[in-house]
Amino acid sequence: MTLTYDAAVLHRARSPLVIERVNASALGRSDVLVRVRAAGLCHTDLEVIDGSLRYPMPIVLGHEAAGVIEQVGSAVEKVRTGDHVVLSWNPHCGHCFYCDRSLPILCEDYLARGAQAVGFDGQSKARLASGTELKHLMFLGAFGEYCIVQAQQAIPVPKDIPFDRACLIGCGVMTGVGAALNIADISQVDTAMVIGCGAVGLAAVQGVRLAGAAKIIAVDIDDARLALAQKMGASRCVNANNEDLVSIGKAETAGRGVDTVIEAAGNAAAFRTTVEAVRPGGEVVWLGKIDVERDVAFRWGALMQEKRIRRSSYGNARPARDFPMLAKAYLDGRLMLDELITRRIRLKAINEGFAALKDGQAIRTVVVFD
C-alpha cells in the first residue's frame, strides 16, 4: 500500500511553498523510512526559495531534521524500527578518491547526485499525486511528515533529547561546533573571534568554549544575539556597527590579532574582515556563504604572513561519531540548544517561518509534527 503524506513543495523560485499530498516511493534495500518529528528552517533552504541556490523543481526542501525510523530496507543492519534519529545530509560512498582521503563532504557520488536533487541511490523518493517526480534537497527533503533516506543518514541518538532540539544537531549545530572542534586548532591560551551570531555562529561560540579557548570574541549587529552569545560563553561581545573588529582583536592580543576567526555571517564584508583580524600564522574558517556567482575582493596584504584559510560546509562532520556526542553534551548541560529556537510552527505556517528568517527575526524556527 502506498504511503501518502503532507509535504511542503516548492514549484518555482521566489514563490511560496505549497502543502500537498505526496506519495512515497517503495523503500530501497538500503533505505529507511523516517517519520519526521521536527525540522529546522535553515538559510540554505531560503537560498533555494530565493533562487540564489539553484536546484531542479518541484522540490521538497528541509535538511535539518530528527524523527523516528518506521521501516527499514532488506539490507539495513545498523539501525532499526523505533530508533530516534538525527538525519545527516552528507551520505557518501566510502571508497572514492575523496572518501579515501577522509573528505566525505567531497564524495564524488555525493557531489554528482546532490545537484540532481535525488536520493543517494539516484532515485526520487516521492511523487506528487499527479505522478510528477519530486526532487529532494540535500538527500533529505524533510519538510514533510515522512522522508526516505539511506540508512547511513539516520544516526541514532538518545531518546531523552527532544526532537525539536535534536534536529538542530543535523546541520547548524554540527557546522558551528564542528568548525571549532574538528577544523580549527584551538588551545587554552588562544583568543578566537566568531563573526555572526545566528544559529551556526552561536553553535561556533559554544564549540570554541568546549575547545577551551582563553577568550571568545562574538560579533554581530544585533545586541540581543550578542547577549545570547555571552550567555553561551563569549567573553566579549562586539556590535560591528559601532566598533572596529580589527582594533578590538589586537587590543585583546597584545597587538597581534586573534588566533582563530570563524565566520558565520555570510556576507562579503565579514569575509574580508576575517583575514584582517586574524594574526600572522593564524587560521580562518569560513562557514557562511553568498550567491555562488558573486565575487569577493580582498586586500592582498591581508592574505599574507602564513595565514591559513579554510572553507567548511559541515564542520568536518562524522555524523555517527559527532551526533551522539552533541546530543550527550546537550543532555549533560554543556551544549545549549533550547535558546537557539525562536519559534515552533506547524507545517502549514512554513512560509511565515521563512519570512521571519529572511527578515532576521528568527535564529531558528522549527517545524514540529505530531
Side-chain angles (χ1 to χ4, degrees), residues 190 256-259 276-283 305 307-308:
D190 283 351
R256 291 186 303 274
V258 298
D259 301 288
E276 299 285 353
V278 74
R279 67 166 170 80
E283 60 183 344
Q305 298 179 311
K307 295 176 182 179
R308 292 162 289 155

Side-chain angles (χ1 to χ4, degrees), residues 15 48 51 62 67 73 84 95 97 133 180 185-186 197 218 256 269 272 277 289 291 293 320 328 335 337 351:
S15 67
V48 181
H84 287 206
H95 53 73
F97 178 91
E133 181 180 284
D185 183 16
I186 298 172
C197 292
R256 291 186 303 274
R272 284 191 289 268
K289 55 185 181 294
D291 189 303
E293 300 300 328
K328 185 175 187 300
L335 181 66
L337 299 179
N351 289 307

Side-chain angles (χ1 to χ4, degrees), residues 136-272:
H136 316 278
L137 179 65
M138 298 168 71
F139 303 97
L140 291 179
F143 290 151
E145 295 173 307
Y146 291 87
C147 66
I148 295 173
V149 301
Q150 291 270 288
Q152 64 165 296
Q153 296 177 254
I155 311 302
V157 295
K159 293 184 178 180
D160 294 342
I161 183 170
F163 292 109
D164 58 348
R165 267 121 311 166
C167 74
L168 305 179
I169 291 172
C171 184
V173 170
M174 180 69 252
T175 300
V177 175
L181 295 185
N182 298 339
I183 296 177
D185 183 16
I186 298 172
S187 77
Q188 295 182 4
V189 299
D190 283 351
T191 296
M193 177 180 287
V194 177
I195 300 178
C197 292
V200 173
L202 289 170
V205 168
Q206 297 191 78
V208 174
R209 169 174 53 79
L210 292 171
K215 297 179 183 179
I216 307 171
I217 304 170
V219 179
D220 204 276
I221 57 174
D222 185 312
D223 288 336
R225 294 190 179 196
L226 289 171
L228 192 51
Q230 185 173 34
K231 184 178 180 181
M232 292 182 171
S235 53
R236 182 166 183 176
C237 295
V238 181
N239 190 312
N241 282 336
N242 305 326
E243 300 181 81
D244 180 70
L245 307 187
V246 177
S247 297
I248 287 172
K250 289 183 176 180
E252 292 283 349
T253 57
R256 291 186 303 274
V258 298
D259 301 288
T260 299
V261 183
I262 299 175
E263 185 281 332
N267 62 69
F271 290 130
R272 284 191 289 268

Side-chain angles (χ1 to χ4, degrees), residues 103 105 182-183 284-287 308-312 316:
L103 288 169
I105 197 68
N182 298 339
I183 296 177
V284 172
V285 181
W286 288 335
L287 302 178
R308 292 162 289 155
I309 302 169
R310 180 166 174 182
R311 159 69 190 166
S312 174
N316 201 22

